Amino acid sequence: MAPRLPRLPWVAPLYVGAVQLGAHAAARLPRGRRTELLRRHSTNVANLRAGRWETLVTSAAFVEDPLPVPYGAGLLAALGTAEARWGAARAVGVFAVGHIGASLLVYAGLRGRVAQGRTPPATAGGTPTPTPTLTPAPTRALEALGDDHDPRHAATRALDATARALDVGASYGFNATLGALAVTLPHRGARTAATAGLLALGIRPVLRRGRTFTDAGHLVAIALGVATGCVMRAAETYTYTSRAAETYAMRAAETRRRLT
């Protein structure tokens, strides 16, 4: 029997090339149009809350700036390796699980935060608590200084900016693919070291003071990739064991026929 030829990746180069070409084309647009284009395809709270669920897919086709050569090469290497090992369908599935899953989980967390920041306090019966007509002196002083000096308005503006933030790119899918590749390495020691290293790299930005929701999304994507890789590895082990048992049973039956 002729040896099985390795799969030649084609989806990964096509995807990375299309993203890079699109980024260079978008960079030629005026700044306002470019920002509006990216915001329209972002998986932010404003878009998903408005029912623009297609952004869960289209956001992976846009990046804020053309990919740097090292990052683009790493993305191509990871996606190409996944496609060569698992096939195009599984590689795309892992990428989609990371990109869409992390986007939805980040959206759920951000929407809860935005809603909590905007919802006024209410009594147990759902009726808003009456507000006294007398305005405290500190509040009157802040109003006299204007909205720019009022921390209440500053918090509202921050929540608005978060809800409409640009959130595009391939990083969630990239991190999920790395997680799945790490956990499916054939050698146990390399598998453990690569998985632990990736999780450590994902946790570190989340623990810093200036963390962003994208940092949390990267960690979630790695975890989703690791979980998906574990499922794939278990399925491959089950398939291998089943085929080995079937082969053994066929050989045993053939041996009995020969003896009789």
Side-chain angles (χ1 to χ4, degrees):
M1 181 181 294
R4 184 178 179 182
L5 296 176
R7 301 182 181 95
L8 183 63
W10 63 274
V11 175
L14 184 64
Y15 168 70
V16 175
V19 169
Q20 189 73 321
L21 289 175
H24 283 287
R28 295 177 176 272
L29 296 174
R31 181 179 298 272
R33 289 185 58 189
R34 176 173 166 273
T35 301
E36 183 59 30
L37 174 68
L38 296 177
R39 182 167 285 120
R40 190 185 313 135
H41 293 281
S42 292
T43 53
N44 54 31
V45 174
N47 280 339
L48 294 181
R49 187 169 53 189
R52 303 186 187 98
W53 300 106
E54 69 277 2
T55 59
L56 291 172
V57 176
T58 60
S59 59
F62 294 87
V63 289
E64 294 187 36
D65 298 294
L67 300 175
V69 173
Y71 185 91
L75 177 63
L76 179 59
L79 300 186
T81 301
E83 185 178 351
R85 288 181 57 183
W86 309 324
R90 287 188 178 183
V92 171
V94 171
F95 186 94
V97 167
H99 181 75
I100 296 176
S103 296
L104 286 175
L105 290 173
V106 169
Y107 161 66
L110 287 178
R111 180 168 181 177
R113 181 180 177 183
V114 171
Q116 184 179 7
R118 289 183 175 179
T119 303
T123 61
T127 304
T129 305
T131 303
T133 55
L134 179 61
T135 304
T139 302
R140 292 198 304 270
L142 288 172
E143 291 176 351
L145 291 173
D147 291 350
D148 292 339
H149 296 80
D150 192 337
R152 298 171 303 173
H153 294 287
T156 301
R157 287 194 301 271
L159 291 173
D160 287 338
T162 300
R164 302 180 69 249
L166 298 181
D167 191 10
V168 294
S171 59
Y172 290 171
F174 184 16
N175 280 274
T177 301
L178 289 175
L181 285 172
V183 82
T184 54
L185 289 174
H187 300 289
R188 179 178 299 178
R191 184 167 63 241
T192 303
T195 304
L198 271 177
L199 290 173
L201 289 175
I203 292 173
R204 183 178 179 181
V206 177
L207 298 180
R208 67 184 181 183
R209 179 172 297 181
R211 61 184 176 270
T212 64
F213 67 84
T214 306
D215 295 328
H218 291 159
L219 178 59
V220 170
I222 293 174
L224 289 173
V226 169
T228 305
C230 288
V231 172
M232 293 171 60
R233 184 159 56 89
E236 290 177 358
T237 302
Y238 175 79
T239 302
Y240 176 80
T241 304
S242 300
R243 289 178 178 176
E246 183 180 354
T247 302
Y248 176 80
M250 292 175 60
R251 290 180 178 177
E254 181 65 23
T255 302
R256 286 195 298 270
R257 283 196 298 269
R258 289 178 179 178
L259 293 175
T260 57

